[in-house]
Amino acid sequence: MRSHEPRSTSSCAACKLLKRRCSPTCNFAPYFRSDEPKKFAKVHKVFGASNVSKILIEVPEDQREDTVNSLVYEAEARLRDPVYGCIGAIALLQRKMIELQHDLALARARLARYAANYSTGVAGTELDRLTMTGLGMKLRIYYNIYIISGDEGGKKFLEV
């Protein structure tokens, strides 16, 4: 745990930014080291030093480091996207996940169709390749093409 690490004689990043003397009991020192000044600057800009101090006091000591990491992440997200913050990043990832699930469903349906054609043993044995592209990735599926012929309503049709 960081709070038990020996501290250097220099002030923590928070006290440096706030231009105050860093005491041995400083709440910020274990989490905002002097070699990471931008970390506290971002959190201070979004949440304010007083609010961060209150949060750190309320959170159990074993969870403070995770809390600080969460505050830093949220602050960086807010500075990148002031309106949506982390929610914007989450929404973007959810949209990508939905697109990928859709692409996967299409690929599975095509694969099932080709597997069904293969298992029925309909005419044909030519080896061909289907290249599907989705979100910059290429997936190559090798399959046999079978020509299915039939008569529907007096019209001849071929399906490949």
Side-chain angles (χ1 to χ4, degrees):
M1 180 184 274
R2 281 190 173 190
S3 61
H4 298 292
E5 291 177 2
R7 286 189 46 201
S8 65
T9 56
S10 66
S11 295
C12 67
C15 291
K16 280 185 179 180
L17 185 75
L18 299 172
K19 296 180 181 171
R20 66 181 190 191
R21 175 176 265 194
C22 191
S23 69
T25 60
C26 178
N27 290 333
F28 299 118
Y31 313 106
F32 298 104
R33 296 188 328 252
S34 61
D35 61 341
E36 299 174 323
K38 290 182 180 179
K39 184 177 175 180
F40 181 75
K42 292 173 185 177
V43 172
H44 175 59
K45 186 173 185 176
V46 173
F47 298 106
S50 177
N51 290 329
V52 174
S53 179
K54 289 175 188 174
I55 290 170
L56 288 177
I57 290 169
E58 289 180 17
V59 173
E61 195 170 331
D62 62 324
Q63 296 176 0
R64 288 184 184 168
E65 189 156 353
D66 290 335
T67 302
V68 168
N69 291 336
S70 295
L71 289 171
V72 171
Y73 182 79
E74 176 65 32
E76 288 173 349
R78 275 287 162 203
L79 292 172
R80 262 186 273 121
D81 185 356
V83 176
Y84 295 109
C86 287
I87 300 301
I90 291 168
L92 176 70
L93 291 172
Q94 285 178 335
R95 282 193 301 271
K96 282 185 179 181
M97 187 177 69
I98 289 168
E99 287 176 16
L100 288 170
Q101 286 173 338
H102 176 72
D103 290 347
L104 182 61
L106 286 175
R108 284 182 174 161
R110 287 179 182 170
L111 188 59
R113 184 176 55 201
Y114 296 122
N117 288 343
Y118 179 76
S119 67
T120 58
V122 187
T125 59
E126 265 187 61
L127 183 66
D128 198 359
R129 177 174 25 158
L130 171 66
T131 302
M132 296 184 303
T133 57
L135 300 174
M137 297 183 296
K138 289 188 177 183
L139 172 65
R140 291 190 178 109
I141 300 173
Y142 294 91
Y143 62 94
N144 288 328
I145 294 182
Y146 296 94
I147 299 175
I148 302 168
S149 60
D151 189 11
E152 184 177 68
K155 298 180 184 176
K156 293 259 181 193
F157 67 91
L158 295 175
E159 180 179 323
V160 178

